[in-house]
Amino acid sequence: MSYLEDLRDVIRRLHGAEATHVESVPVKEVFQGQTVWEGIVEVFDLAGHPTAHRAYAWAHDGKRPKESSVAVLHIAPITSAAAAVRAALIQEYRNLGTEES
């Protein structure tokens, strides 16, 4: 399977919708002057999802989506690839805080 096919599979598994690739968007997220994430976010149109018409997906390592991936739905306030990355980073940070408690 190709990288994009793997991401489509992840979206189907996580969100129960069929995905069609639309574009690849480079995103660089900077916090307090430091790059905290940089990579390519794949944008997909969705069919069959009750509330979202689009999703943003990427693999943490950029190569193996089934092992380490993120798929974020386009639902306000997530309205862009950059916003999807920000939301995923915030969630990851929050998860780290609960694991350490």
Side-chain angles (χ1 to χ4, degrees):
M1 251 194 223
S2 75
Y3 178 69
L4 292 176
E5 288 169 337
D6 283 346
L7 287 176
R8 274 194 291 271
D9 221 31
V10 168
I11 292 167
R12 186 180 311 110
R13 188 171 32 85
L14 292 177
H15 299 296
E18 292 303 315
T20 303
H21 186 253
V22 176
E23 64 180 330
S24 302
V25 178
V27 174
K28 181 177 182 178
E29 188 61 30
V30 177
F31 181 72
Q32 296 181 345
Q34 300 291 318
T35 300
V36 293
W37 192 89
E38 186 171 10
I40 303 296
V41 175
E42 304 300 340
V43 181
F44 294 87
D45 280 342
L46 298 180
H49 193 277
T51 57
H53 71 278
R54 183 160 274 186
Y56 307 96
W58 62 94
H60 281 293
D61 68 1
K63 297 174 188 161
R64 297 182 310 258
K66 290 189 178 201
E67 295 162 22
S68 175
S69 61
V70 179
V72 180
L73 296 174
H74 179 103
I75 298 173
I78 311 303
T79 57
S80 69
V85 169
R86 266 190 245 69
L89 290 171
I90 289 167
Q91 187 60 47
E92 190 174 300
Y93 176 76
R94 287 180 181 159
N95 288 347
L96 286 176
T98 59
E99 288 174 7
E100 293 174 2
S101 298

